[in-house]
Amino acid sequence: MMNKEGKINEIIAQFLKRPKIKPKDIKAAIEKQLNIKIDTAALKNRIKSLKLH
């Protein structure tokens, strides 16, 4: 399970490097690449925590 977590974080990190990115774009990319469904609220929290680092 941790492998998927790491991959999700990697994808988010790639998106955070770009300007003007919307969480729904990140969500779509994750769901497409990993073939999973992800909760939007959980994703937003993860984005916030990654931005703090």
Side-chain angles (χ1 to χ4, degrees):
M1 189 64 199
M2 276 307 288
N3 201 3
K4 264 190 182 158
E5 299 283 316
K7 283 190 169 128
I8 291 170
N9 289 345
E10 256 176 45
I11 295 168
I12 294 172
Q14 288 169 7
F15 272 97
L16 290 180
K17 290 175 190 164
R18 303 184 198 173
K20 294 182 186 172
I21 199 75
K22 293 179 188 73
K24 71 176 184 198
D25 297 335
I26 300 176
K27 182 180 186 223
I30 291 170
E31 290 182 347
K32 190 173 176 186
Q33 284 183 38
L34 301 181
N35 199 19
I36 55 168
K37 288 280 172 246
I38 190 162
D39 182 46
T40 310
L43 180 68
K44 283 181 180 171
N45 288 339
R46 190 176 294 215
I47 291 168
K48 274 185 200 158
S49 70
L50 282 173
K51 278 184 181 173
L52 296 176
H53 291 298

